[in-house]
Amino acid sequence: VVGSDSNFIGTDQGYEAARWCALNLLSTVNAYLSENSATSADLSNIKVVKLFGIVRSHDDFQEQHLVMNGASDLIKDVLGDSGACHARSAIGSNSLPLGIAVEVEMICKIVE
């Protein structure tokens, strides 16, 4: 999800963008686990430790935390209890690479 310099997205669109980011992160982790012959782990063996989100927004926008709920909610929906409790930070920025609306970073660990 992208926007122009004069057209920042709102909280609801940002929430959906953050969900897509989280889905992409889980997809990447799942691909790693399925390709790594050293482990037989899958997403059920993942514990999310922290999410960090950057929301492209105007100076007066103060709902970055609500945008990041999209990522947290999707993680919880997919992983259940192992995704329900994680640390999280959300900040705003007036610019992100390629004009993207939301960037999310995830730290997770494999639990046996």
Side-chain angles (χ1 to χ4, degrees):
V1 176
V2 297
S4 69
D5 287 337
S6 62
N7 185 21
F8 287 81
I9 63 170
T11 304
D12 293 338
Q13 289 176 302
Y15 177 94
E16 290 302 319
R19 285 182 66 87
W20 278 106
C21 289
L23 186 62
N24 287 332
L25 288 167
L26 290 176
S27 178
T28 300
V29 170
N30 191 52
Y32 168 80
L33 293 173
S34 65
E35 295 171 4
N36 187 347
S37 61
T39 181
S40 62
D42 59 23
L43 286 180
S44 66
N45 299 100
I46 294 300
K47 168 68 177 146
V48 176
V49 177
K50 182 176 182 180
L51 295 178
F52 172 68
I54 306 170
V55 179
R56 188 168 171 261
S57 52
H58 288 292
D59 292 342
D60 60 351
F61 184 76
Q62 298 180 6
E63 296 185 345
Q64 290 86 356
H65 64 291
L66 298 176
V67 169
M68 278 302 294
N69 283 347
S72 291
D73 290 349
L74 184 114
I75 297 286
K76 182 180 176 185
D77 291 346
V78 172
L79 298 180
D81 289 342
S82 66
C85 185
H86 54 265
R88 188 180 83 182
S89 300
I91 63 169
S93 174
N94 65 343
S95 177
L96 286 173
L98 304 174
I100 61 173
V102 179
E103 183 173 328
V104 179
E105 176 183 296
M106 178 174 70
I107 299 171
C108 60
K109 65 179 180 177
I110 300 171
V111 293
E112 304 283 332

